[in-house]
Amino acid sequence: TPENREVAGERALYFRSREPSTLSAALTDLIHTPVDRLRQLGDLLARRALERYNWDRVTDHYLACFRGMTDPNGDRPTH
């Protein structure tokens, strides 16, 4: 889904839910991926999650939303 792609970007394993062969192909690729590469991808995904989804960012986003609601000229979040 678009939401999953927003969270994981292009570093995740994706497949078409109604096409089992796409899951099979993705898992086959995964099985043949070197362990070092899997660790690297895991580290990149963890870093992405920490950068994009942390409480400082969440609260900054909410504050900007609230300011935008109470002040017509206030800053509105871009994401």
Side-chain angles (χ1 to χ4, degrees):
T1 65
E3 295 81 10
N4 290 336
R5 288 192 188 274
E6 179 183 342
V7 172
E10 294 307 313
R11 293 179 177 101
L13 177 70
Y14 297 105
F15 60 93
R16 292 182 199 91
S17 62
R18 298 188 189 279
E19 297 180 34
S21 63
T22 64
L23 174 59
S24 175
L27 290 173
T28 298
D29 288 346
L30 188 64
I31 289 169
H32 293 98
T33 302
V35 172
D36 290 342
R37 177 67 179 145
L38 293 174
R39 285 191 184 110
Q40 180 186 31
L41 289 171
D43 290 344
L44 290 170
L45 286 167
R47 192 171 323 130
R48 179 183 173 97
L50 288 172
E51 290 169 359
R52 295 182 66 139
Y53 304 100
N54 64 61
W55 284 113
D56 288 334
R57 186 169 180 178
V58 169
T59 55
D60 288 346
H61 186 80
Y62 273 112
L63 285 172
C65 286
F66 294 145
R67 286 186 184 120
M69 287 187 274
T70 58
D71 177 3
N73 298 318
D75 292 333
R76 295 183 189 268
T78 58
H79 297 90

